[in-house]
Amino acid sequence: MKRTNLYLTEKQMERLRQRSEQEGVAIAELVRRAVDSFLAWDDPTYRPMPPTPQTGKSHSSPG
């Protein structure tokens, strides 16, 4: 995986935090899922990579 930075609105972050807690997955995983959905939207040949198990400590930015 490649690390990247992106800017989200406060509302987007709050919704992602809520969803992350509800589903028990990291915000980064939710963002990867959203990107996969976007890329597959109009490209039937797009196949996302299966999720890889997280190892070590999870990282989160201060919010």
Side-chain angles (χ1 to χ4, degrees), residues 6-46:
L6 57 120
Y7 294 92
L8 301 172
T9 66
E10 292 289 330
K11 187 174 186 175
Q12 290 168 326
M13 278 306 301
E14 181 55 34
R15 295 280 178 103
L16 282 170
R17 280 188 201 104
Q18 291 172 354
R19 188 80 173 256
S20 173
E21 289 177 17
Q22 289 171 351
E23 294 189 23
V25 298
I27 290 174
E29 176 61 22
L30 294 175
V31 172
R32 285 190 292 271
R33 290 176 187 179
V35 170
D36 281 338
S37 294
F38 172 79
L39 294 173
W41 182 267
D42 62 352
D43 181 359
T45 65
Y46 177 77

Side-chain angles (χ1 to χ4, degrees), residues 40-61:
W41 182 267
D42 62 352
D43 181 359
T45 65
Y46 177 77
R47 297 289 182 256
M49 297 278 298
T52 56
Q54 290 183 343
T55 58
K57 293 182 180 180
S58 64
H59 174 77
S60 65
S61 299

